[in-house]
Amino acid sequence: MGYKTYTCPIARDCGGCEWLAVPYPIQLRRKQEHVEALLGEAAERDGAVVEAIRGMDEPTRYRHKAATPFAHARGGRVACGFYAAGTHRIVPCESCLAEDERARRVLNAVARVAERLHVPPYNEDRGVGVLRHAVVRCGWQTDDVLLTLVSRVEELRDERHLVSELRAACPEVTSIVLNVNDRRTNAILGRRNRTLFGPGVMHDRLLGLTFEIGPTSFYQTNPAQTEVLYRLALDGAQGAHRVLDAYCGTGTIGVCAAASSNEMQVTGIEQVRGAVACAERNARANGVGDRCRFVAADATAWMAREGAGERFDAVVMDPPRAGSTPEFLAGVARLAPERVVYVSCNVVTQARDLKVLRAKGYRLAHVAPVDMFPHTKHVECVAVLERR
C-alpha cells in the first residue's frame, strides 16, 4: 500500500517539520511506540492499556499560531521566515504547509510594510533596532486574526500610519497589539501590551464554547486536536463534583468541564495573573462563572499553602514540558481525589511524575496519546489515574 507524502521547498533548511518526508501512518506508529516504551509497562501492571494514538484525518494547515523573527537583509530589505535549524539564520517562507493559510501571508506583509515605512528590524547581536518579531493567531471556528508586533521600544514612529498600512495590506486582521520586549533574551514576547487596533484580543470556539485569547495567552496551536485532547480529559473527570484544574492557563479545560455538568464546581490555579483574569471572563461568557473559581498562584505553592484545606473528587493537571514538582504531586496525594487526569506535552516527564503518583496509591486506568503536531516528534498524552 502506498502512503501519501508531503513536500516543502524549505523543509531541509527550516527543520521545523523534521518528519515531513515520513508517511503519516508511520509517524503515528513511531509516536505510539514512544508512548508505549515509556508508559506501557506501568499500564500493564495496573491492568490498563495504551490506547491507539488519535491522529488527524488531514495533517496539514493545523497550526493556528505562527511567528517570525525579523532581521536586516541586503538592499534595505527586511528578512522574515523561520530560523534555520540550530542557527539564527532566517529562511524565507512564502507559505507553510503546517500553518493556517492566513498566517504566513500576514507575517510576510508585516515585513513589506516595515520596509516601506523604514521601521528598522532588531539586531540581536548589538541590541539595537525596533521590530523583533510578529506573532499571528488565527481563529479556527471564527474569522478573528490577532496580530502582535513585538518591539524593543515602547512606541513606534508614526503608529497611525503603520496601522493604516497594515490594515490595508492585511484586511483579515481584526486586532493589532504592540508587545514590548526590551530585554536581551531569546524569549519572543515581553510582559507589556498595548492595543493599536481592534479589541486587542481574539475569540475562538472549542467544544461549542467561546474563549478569549490575548497576545500572551496560552492557547493550543492545533484546536482540532485540542478538542480530542479535552474530550479525553473530560471523560477522565466525568462524575466528579469538585474539580481542581492545575496549571489552568486561560481556563479552557476547567470551563469545558464545568459546562459539561451542572453539578460540577471547578477551582483553577494559574500563576500568570493576566491568564487568570482571562479565565474568569471565559467562565462568565460561557455561563459557568458561578461554578468556576480561579486563583492567581504558583500551583506548587498553592498546594502547600491552601490545598491541604480543600476537598476535590478529581484533579486535572496540564503542566509545562518540564512536568510537575514532587511537592505538588505529594499535595495531590494528600488531597486523595478519586481520580487524577494528567495531560502532558512531554511523555518523558509525565512518566516520571506518574511513577510518583503510582507510588502514592494511584493506578493507571487509561492512557491515550494524541498527535497535536504532525510531522514532528512531539506527542501529547492523557493519563487517567484512579485511587487504589
Side-chain angles (χ1 to χ4, degrees), residues 118-320:
H118 305 291
V119 180
Y122 181 68
N123 183 312
E124 62 181 351
D125 293 327
R126 297 169 55 203
V128 298
V130 173
L131 195 60
R132 298 179 66 137
H133 292 84
V135 182
V136 173
R137 294 176 182 263
C138 302
W140 176 51
Q141 297 288 351
T142 70
D143 293 327
D144 285 5
V145 177
L146 170 62
L147 169 62
T148 302
L149 305 176
V150 184
S151 165
R152 183 183 65 87
V153 298
E154 295 279 352
E155 293 188 12
L156 302 176
R157 189 180 64 181
D158 200 357
E159 285 181 355
R160 288 187 178 182
H161 189 195
L162 175 65
V163 169
S164 177
E165 289 284 310
L166 288 172
R167 291 182 62 191
C170 317
E172 61 267 60
V173 169
T174 54
S175 278
I176 302 174
V177 171
L178 183 70
N179 175 271
V180 180
N181 184 355
D182 53 11
R183 297 170 293 159
R184 299 290 289 269
T185 174
N186 288 330
I188 292 179
L189 295 170
R191 298 184 179 93
R192 304 187 299 280
N193 298 301
R194 184 162 55 86
T195 300
L196 303 181
F197 165 71
V201 297
M202 63 166 287
H203 294 85
D204 206 0
R205 287 193 290 274
L206 288 173
L207 299 178
L209 305 177
T210 300
F211 292 96
E212 175 188 308
I213 305 134
T216 57
S217 301
F218 174 77
Y219 186 71
Q220 294 281 5
T221 302
N222 184 342
Q225 288 294 86
T226 298
E227 287 200 337
V228 175
L229 193 77
Y230 284 8
R231 285 193 182 100
L232 289 166
L234 297 186
D235 287 346
Q238 191 173 22
H241 295 294
R242 296 160 298 181
V243 174
L244 174 65
D245 180 13
Y247 314 94
C248 72
T250 54
T252 45
I253 293 180
V255 170
C256 287
S260 71
S261 169
N262 292 331
E263 303 299 320
M264 189 178 291
Q265 300 280 337
V266 174
T267 298
I269 309 299
E270 167 59 44
Q271 65 178 345
V272 179
R273 291 187 177 276
V276 169
C278 189
E280 291 171 342
R281 291 193 293 272
N282 285 331
R284 291 194 297 270
N286 289 288
V288 294
D290 59 330
R291 293 188 287 110
C292 290
R293 173 174 68 107
F294 295 100
V295 181
D298 173 78
T300 297
W302 182 88
M303 185 67 80
R305 186 176 62 249
E306 300 177 39
E310 300 277 354
R311 294 290 179 269
F312 297 101
D313 306 307
V315 171
V316 178
M317 51 188 295
D318 185 4

Side-chain angles (χ1 to χ4, degrees), residues 71 88 196 284 358 372:
H88 274 200
L196 303 181
R284 291 194 297 270
R358 291 176 67 242
M372 295 284 283

Side-chain angles (χ1 to χ4, degrees), residues 19 24-41 43 49-55 347 367-371 376-381:
W19 282 1
Y24 189 53
I26 298 177
Q27 294 181 34
L28 294 179
R29 187 183 71 201
R30 288 180 179 178
K31 294 182 183 188
Q32 180 81 26
E33 291 170 350
H34 175 63
V35 175
E36 288 177 351
L38 289 167
L39 300 180
E41 182 179 349
V49 297
V50 178
E51 299 175 6
I53 188 170
R54 273 69 164 178
V347 188
V367 179
V370 179
D371 187 24
T376 75
K377 297 177 182 179
H378 299 292
V379 60
E380 306 258 337
C381 189

Side-chain angles (χ1 to χ4, degrees), residues 55-69:
M56 299 191 72
D57 294 332
E58 178 52 52
T60 60
R61 306 296 180 191
Y62 64 86
R63 288 182 177 268
H64 287 255
K65 177 185 175 183
T68 181

